[in-house]
Amino acid sequence: MKVDNELLWLTGVVVGLLGISSLVGWIMSRQELSDSARRTVENLNERTRAWWVMTAVFALALATGGIGSVVLFAFSSFLALREFLTLTPTRAGDHRTMFWAFFVVCPMQYVLLWFEWYPVFVIFIPVYVFLFLPIRSAAAGETENFLERTAKIQWGVMICVYCLSHAPALLTLLKIPGYEHENGKLLYYFVLICELSDVMQYVFGKLFGRHQVAPTVSPGKTWEGLIGGVAATVAIGAGLWWATPFTPWQSAGMSLLTCLMGFGGGLVMSAIKRDRGVKDWGTTIKGHGGMLDRLDSLCFAAPIFFHVTRYYFA
Amino acid sequence: MINSTLAGLFRLMTGAQPRWQGCEPNLNRRIYFANHCSNLDGPTIWATLPPELRKRTRAVAARDYWTAGPIRRYFAQRVFNTVLIERRKPTRNDNPIDDMVNAMEDGSSLILFPEGGRHPGPDPVEFKSGLYHLAKRVPEAELVPVLLDNLNRVLPKGELLPVPLICSVTFGEPIRLEENEHRNDFLARARAAVIDLRDN
C-alpha cells in the first residue's frame, strides 16, 4: 500500500478537527466555570489528548503497510476481550476455555486475516470456536450455570475478536476493482466515521441534549445528540467520498449505516455495563475509560460495513 | 533490572492496579497481610509496590512448597527474596515467628498470608495465629490489610497457565494490636479489615 496524497488529506482532516478541539478546550479551560462545568472541560481535554495519541498510533500502524494495522487490531481485540471477560462471571471450570480464547482463538483470527484466507476467516469463530469452547468447558466438568457461562464467553469472543477483526479485514480481504492498493484509505475512512459519530453525538448531546433515547440503559444518550451527531457525521462522510470507492451519495449512505450500527453498539455495551454495575469497561485510556468504551461502536459497525462493501462494491 | 522487568511483566499479565485506599506507600516497616487464593498473590503485591519499597519488602512463604525443585527455589530465593518458613512442624528451634522477626529487624517489610494456604473462596477463611504472634513481637510495625481481587481467576490453585484477566490490589488502613486484645478478637478484626476493603 503506498502512502498517497488522499491518505495525507484524510490525516489532515483529523489533525484539523483535533486542533480545533484542543483550541476550544484550551479556551474553555481559561474561563471562570462552575465545578461541574470545569470537570466536563477537564474530561473533554483529557479525551482530546487521548485522541491525539490514538490517531498517532493508528496512523503509524497504517503507515507500515498493513501488518502494523493487523497487529494493532489483534492487540486491541486481546485487550477488549480481557476487559469483557474480567466483568463476566466465570467459574474455575472455564479457566482453560478462556486460555484457548485468549491465546489461540484471538491470534488465529488475525492470522487468517493476514493470510487472506477469507472462507475460514468468516466461519472460524461462528462455527468452529462456537462448537469447541463449550466442549472444552464441559470436559472440565463444572455444570453450574453451564449454558450461561459458555454463552457469555462465546459472545465476548464474537464481539471483541470476530466483529472487531472485520475492520482490518477491509485492508486484506477486499478486492475492489479500480481501488487496488488503496484499501488503507477505506479503513481510515471507516474508523474516522465511526469514532467521529461517537464524538459528534457526545458534543451535540452535551450542547442540546434534552430527550433521552433509552434512560434505563444509557442516560447520556439523547435524541438531540443522536440526530445532530449522525447528521453532522453523514455530512462529513459524504464530503470524504474522494477517499473511498463510493460516490458522494453512496458515501453518505455508508456513513449513515456506520453511525447507526455504532450507536446500537454503544447502546448494547452500555446495557451490559449497567447490568454489571460499572460505568466504564476499564481504565486503559485516560478520559475515555477502557478499550471497549472506545471500541464498542467499531465492533458493531465493522462487520456490516465490511459485508455491505464486499457485496456491492467488490 | 531483572526484577523491575519481571515486576512489569507481572503487572502486564495481571493488569494489577494498586489502590492505596487507607494508606500511602512509604518506607515504614509494615506487615502487608492479604487473602490468598493463587500462587501469583505474593508476586502481584510485590510487583505493584513502588520500586523503592519493593526492594525492602519480602513475602513470607512455605519452605516445603518453595524448596521443592530448582525452579521454585530460584524464584523464592533469588528473585523474590522470600522469607521461607517451616509451616508443617514448627519446633522451638525452628520457629517461623523467629524467622519473620529476624527479617524485620534487618529492616524489611513483610507480605504475609495469614490463612496459611490458598483458599479459592471469595472471602478469606479464618486466620491462623501467626499474625498475632508477629504483631506482639514487632509492636511498632504497621499492619496493612490488603485485598487481592480476581487473582483466583487468573491462576487458580492447580492450574499451570495464567489467563490475563484484570486484577486489583487494594491497600487498606493500617491496624495495630491493641493492649490486652485477645488473640481471637484480633485475628477476627484483621480478617474483617481485609473483607471490608471489598465493599468500598
Side-chain angles (χ1 to χ4, degrees):
Chain A
M1 183 192 62
K2 63 186 190 333
V3 175
D4 58 21
N5 284 335
E6 287 170 358
L7 199 58
L8 292 178
W9 274 108
L10 271 181
T11 311
V13 169
V14 177
V15 168
L17 286 170
L18 284 176
I20 294 168
S21 176
S22 288
L23 190 67
V24 170
W26 181 71
I27 292 167
M28 284 201 293
S29 70
R30 289 172 61 92
Q31 283 169 348
E32 295 281 324
L33 291 167
S34 67
D35 272 356
S36 75
R38 191 164 52 244
R39 269 196 298 279
T40 307
V41 171
E42 270 169 22
N43 179 253
L44 189 79
N45 287 331
E46 252 176 22
R47 281 173 184 245
T48 310
R49 276 194 292 275
W51 274 122
W52 280 107
V53 176
M54 287 189 277
T55 306
V57 171
F58 179 73
L60 279 176
L62 204 59
T64 64
I67 184 70
S69 299
V70 174
V71 170
L72 177 68
F73 275 96
F75 196 57
S76 303
S77 272
F78 187 88
L79 293 179
L81 185 65
R82 175 182 195 171
E83 288 174 356
F84 188 91
L85 289 180
T86 296
L87 282 185
T88 304
T90 58
R91 299 184 62 84
D94 300 317
H95 185 78
R96 295 190 180 189
T97 312
M98 287 197 284
F99 188 86
W100 278 91
F102 277 110
F103 293 106
V104 180
V105 176
C106 181
M108 188 65 189
Q109 177 73 0
Y110 284 89
V111 168
L112 293 171
L113 174 78
W114 179 245
F115 288 104
E116 305 180 19
W117 205 0
Y118 182 74
V120 186
F121 169 82
V122 280
I123 60 161
F124 173 60
I125 289 175
V127 177
Y128 288 86
V129 173
F130 173 73
L131 296 174
F132 172 76
L133 291 183
I135 294 174
R136 187 65 197 84
S137 283
E142 268 203 67
T143 54
E144 202 175 310
N145 297 329
F146 183 80
L147 183 57
E148 207 180 312
R149 280 160 36 211
T150 39
K152 281 172 179 166
I153 295 174
Q154 176 67 21
W155 206 85
V157 172
M158 277 298 287
I159 294 294
C160 302
V161 183
Y162 183 76
C163 289
L164 191 58
S165 69
H166 282 74
L170 294 171
L171 278 183
T172 60
L173 296 175
L174 276 183
K175 302 277 176 282
I176 303 166
Y179 195 70
E180 288 88 4
H181 310 296
E182 298 185 51
N183 289 16
K185 284 181 291 184
L186 193 60
L187 175 62
Y188 207 127
Y189 167 88
F190 166 69
V191 173
L192 174 60
I193 295 302
C194 204
E195 299 298 333
L196 197 60
S197 161
D198 281 1
V199 173
M200 287 297 178
Q201 285 175 42
Y202 171 88
V203 171
F204 276 84
K206 283 276 177 213
L207 291 177
F208 311 110
R210 285 249 147 62
H211 305 87
Q212 293 172 315
V213 179
T216 55
V217 179
S218 182
K221 291 190 179 18
T222 58
W223 283 108
E224 291 81 358
L226 175 61
I227 294 167
V230 171
T233 310
V234 169
I236 295 174
L240 293 176
W241 63 274
W242 42 267
T244 70
F246 315 134
T247 66
W249 280 108
Q250 287 167 341
S251 181
M254 292 303 280
S255 293
L256 180 64
L257 186 68
T258 306
C259 289
L260 293 180
M261 283 313 295
F263 175 80
L267 201 63
V268 170
M269 299 310 265
S270 289
I272 298 173
K273 283 189 283 188
R274 196 137 268 246
D275 178 46
R276 301 299 309 151
V278 294
K279 210 186 129 283
D280 293 323
W281 285 99
T283 53
T284 319
I285 315 173
K286 209 161 172 15
H288 294 264
M291 290 292 277
L292 264 180
D293 290 292
R294 229 18 329 119
L295 292 175
D296 51 6
S297 45
L298 216 57
C299 289
F300 274 67
I304 307 297
F305 184 91
F306 175 87
H307 280 291
V308 171
T309 308
R310 192 181 156 91
Y311 192 80
Y312 287 105
F313 298 94
Chain B
M1 177 65 183
I2 292 179
N3 282 12
S4 48
T5 311
L6 205 68
L9 204 66
F10 266 107
R11 283 200 303 274
L12 194 72
M13 187 166 65
T14 59
Q17 304 272 348
R19 297 181 191 147
W20 294 90
Q21 207 171 77
C23 61
E24 292 299 315
N26 64 35
L27 289 169
N28 295 352
R29 272 202 300 170
R30 285 175 162 173
I31 300 164
Y32 300 97
F33 62 99
N35 57 321
H36 195 21
C37 29
S38 163
N39 272 334
L40 291 179
D41 289 348
T44 301
I45 297 179
W46 175 83
T48 53
L49 291 172
E52 275 305 301
L53 273 66
R54 202 183 300 144
K55 272 185 237 160
R56 303 176 195 209
T57 306
R58 303 173 67 187
V60 177
R63 188 185 295 148
D64 57 281
Y65 186 88
W66 287 102
T67 53
I71 296 173
R72 283 184 194 173
R73 191 176 300 142
Y74 174 80
F75 272 96
Q77 290 174 345
R78 290 297 162 88
V79 181
F80 300 121
N81 189 21
T82 50
V83 180
L84 292 177
I85 57 160
E86 178 58 50
R87 66 171 169 180
R88 290 278 153 79
K89 293 186 206 116
T91 61
R92 195 167 287 279
N93 292 330
D94 194 3
N95 184 343
I97 303 295
D98 287 342
D99 295 334
M100 292 186 245
V101 172
N102 289 340
M104 290 201 82
E105 276 169 0
D106 293 340
S108 296
S109 292
L110 297 182
I111 298 170
L112 187 68
F113 299 104
E115 291 168 82
R118 287 172 288 160
H119 297 277
D123 284 338
V125 299
E126 297 292 318
F127 282 0
K128 304 212 176 220
S129 60
L131 184 64
Y132 169 78
H133 293 300
L134 187 61
K136 225 172 162 179
R137 293 272 298 272
V138 198
E140 72 282 5
E142 293 180 1
L143 309 175
V144 181
V146 181
L147 179 78
L148 295 166
D149 199 26
N150 233 11
L151 275 150
N152 54 333
R153 291 177 68 205
V154 173
L155 186 69
K157 197 172 178 172
E159 291 286 349
L160 195 64
L161 298 170
V163 161
L165 299 172
I166 300 166
C167 307
S168 69
V169 182
T170 312
F171 297 88
E173 198 178 333
I175 63 169
R176 276 174 206 275
L177 178 61
E178 302 291 334
E179 228 172 293
N180 300 327
E181 188 172 12
H182 189 266
R183 187 183 72 178
N184 290 349
D185 295 340
F186 168 76
L187 291 173
R189 191 160 65 88
R191 178 169 171 266
V194 173
I195 297 171
D196 282 349
L197 292 172
R198 191 183 302 281
D199 306 328
N200 296 326

